[in-house]
Amino acid sequence: MIVRLNAVMPKGSFLRNVALLSSSTVFAQGLSLLALPLLTRLYGPEGFELLAVYVAVIGILSVVAALRYNLAIPIAERDDDAMTLLAVALSSITVVSLLLCIPVIFWPEASVQLLGQTDLLPYLWMIPAGVFAAGAYDALQYWTTRRRDFGLITRTRVTRAIGGVATQAGIGVIWSSSFGLLFGHMVYGGLGAVALIERLFRRDSDIIGKVTTMRMREQMRAFSSYPRYSVPEALLNVGGIQVPLLLISANSVGSEAGFLFLAMTVMGAPMALVGSSVAQVYIAEAPDRLREGTLVPFTLKTMWALIKVAGPLLFLTGIVSPFVFPLIFGADWSRAGILMSWMVPWFILQLASSPMSVVLYIVGKFQLAMALQFVGFAIRVGSVFVAISMAPAQISEIYAISGALFYALYVGAILVILKARR
């Protein structure tokens, strides 16, 4: 069996690495999905709305905490430069997390009022901790990707999934409070970082010794385009997804943001099963493909393969969701099933574009990437503002349509760039 596997997918090949990471993602996403029917009965829609706000804040802050130097780690030509970039990223994440402690300690009431969710007050301390945990794991994962240690990444994904779900379910059984949902997500964010740090010091201590303050300054200057262009682009990207959730939570009746969050979580699972693993391997392969002159066909082939594999599954999920959601998650969650149907075009187009969005950085199109995300932010956030004033009952449906419009634009831009490089 092993001989046959090596023949079909040789060790170190793109397909084998994708299969390895996909197996862990299948397990992690499968465990999370299997746990959701239990969690939706332990925690009501109001608890998931609070989780949606927490995840939105963590998502916005953690994606830029490293000033995007983490993206440069696989691209640096030498390992000592890449390690220096990792040190820069981790230092930035630490500083950002400490700065977040200031409003949490001195102005907690004003902070939760700004977020439009005063029920978050007892859990506000989790935001700096959650940003540090998620940011550190992400930066360390980029180094591990560079080393092509996909087996370690696989194990950490499994550990995170088990730890996060077990924490949420365990606390929910003992204590009927939103604390379990939020704390479990924080645990999930940082669990895998422990193994990545241990491997880093055990295997790469000689490279760590080459990191100096002077070299950190040199690498910050060498890759200064990342914080200059990619930080605004990333803020606009994640903000276009998460800011509408915050606006919906603050301006809708009932627990609309909780329904929307559950629908997005379930709808995103098929995409995550394939998309995140392909993206992880793609970013490791893309610099070499660029130097070989095969980046364009490699990217187009990967995009088409993603659509063929996961597109039909997303489409089928959207068709059956209004009927099966109340049966699986409980009668209180029928609204989430309806919203999933509206999200099908959005997630199919996102599947095609998101893993390969890094191609814009690899070919040096930083300004275009930022401009696209600005347009996307304006479309999605603007549509929610319009819905708040004109069609509040359909606010989530309008948000779903705006997502499809943006990703259609993004796919078109990537195809134009690739065509120009043929």
Side-chain angles (χ1 to χ4, degrees), residues 121-377:
L121 183 60
Y123 318 120
L124 203 59
W125 63 271
M126 293 188 199
I127 290 179
V131 169
F132 179 81
Y137 177 79
D138 186 64
L140 290 163
Q141 189 175 221
Y142 274 100
W143 170 260
T144 310
T145 297
R146 178 186 178 86
R147 304 292 277 178
R148 286 178 165 79
D149 195 347
F150 298 111
L152 178 58
I153 295 176
T154 297
R155 292 192 294 273
T156 60
R157 288 183 176 182
V158 172
T159 301
R160 296 173 85 208
I162 294 174
V165 168
T167 301
Q168 290 177 323
I171 295 177
V173 170
I174 299 171
W175 182 21
S176 180
S177 167
S178 300
F179 170 80
L181 278 176
L182 276 64
F183 187 74
H185 187 277
M186 188 182 72
V187 169
Y188 167 82
L191 256 184
V194 177
L196 297 182
I197 291 174
E198 187 274 334
R199 177 63 66 88
L200 178 72
F201 280 97
R202 181 164 55 85
R203 190 180 67 177
D204 302 314
S205 57
D206 56 327
I207 307 177
I208 295 174
K210 297 179 181 179
V211 175
T212 64
T213 303
M214 181 180 296
R215 297 195 68 174
M216 290 174 68
R217 289 197 294 265
E218 290 174 354
Q219 292 305 308
M220 289 173 69
R221 287 193 296 269
F223 291 92
S224 60
S225 55
Y226 282 78
R228 186 183 308 128
Y229 296 113
S230 187
V231 165
E233 182 266 336
L235 278 174
L236 290 168
N237 180 28
V238 72
I241 298 172
Q242 304 296 0
V243 170
L245 271 174
L246 296 175
L247 292 173
I248 292 169
S249 174
N251 294 279
S252 61
V253 179
S255 302
E256 183 71 5
F259 297 128
L260 182 59
F261 178 79
L262 182 64
M264 291 171 64
T265 300
V266 177
M267 196 63 179
M271 184 178 72
L273 291 176
V274 180
S276 64
S277 299
V278 172
Q280 199 75 45
V281 180
Y282 178 88
I283 196 172
E285 295 274 349
D288 291 337
R289 298 283 185 165
L290 178 64
R291 286 187 283 268
E292 296 169 1
T294 59
L295 180 63
V296 172
F298 175 63
T299 302
L300 292 174
K301 183 178 178 180
T302 306
M303 291 177 69
W304 179 238
L306 276 170
I307 294 175
K308 287 196 299 183
V309 171
L313 180 58
L314 286 169
F315 185 75
L316 178 63
T317 302
I319 292 176
V320 303
S321 59
F323 308 101
V324 302
F325 239 73
L327 300 176
I328 296 176
F329 299 104
D332 293 340
W333 295 95
S334 58
R335 170 67 175 159
I338 296 172
L339 293 178
M340 278 187 62
S341 297
W342 286 85
M343 294 178 183
V344 171
W346 163 11
F347 276 88
I348 290 178
L349 290 166
Q350 183 180 357
L351 175 72
S353 66
S354 293
M356 269 63 68
S357 60
V358 70
V359 76
L360 296 177
Y361 303 111
I362 294 173
V363 300
K365 299 293 183 179
F366 295 97
Q367 295 94 333
L368 176 60
M370 186 167 62
L372 283 171
Q373 295 301 339
F374 177 80
V375 172
F377 182 87

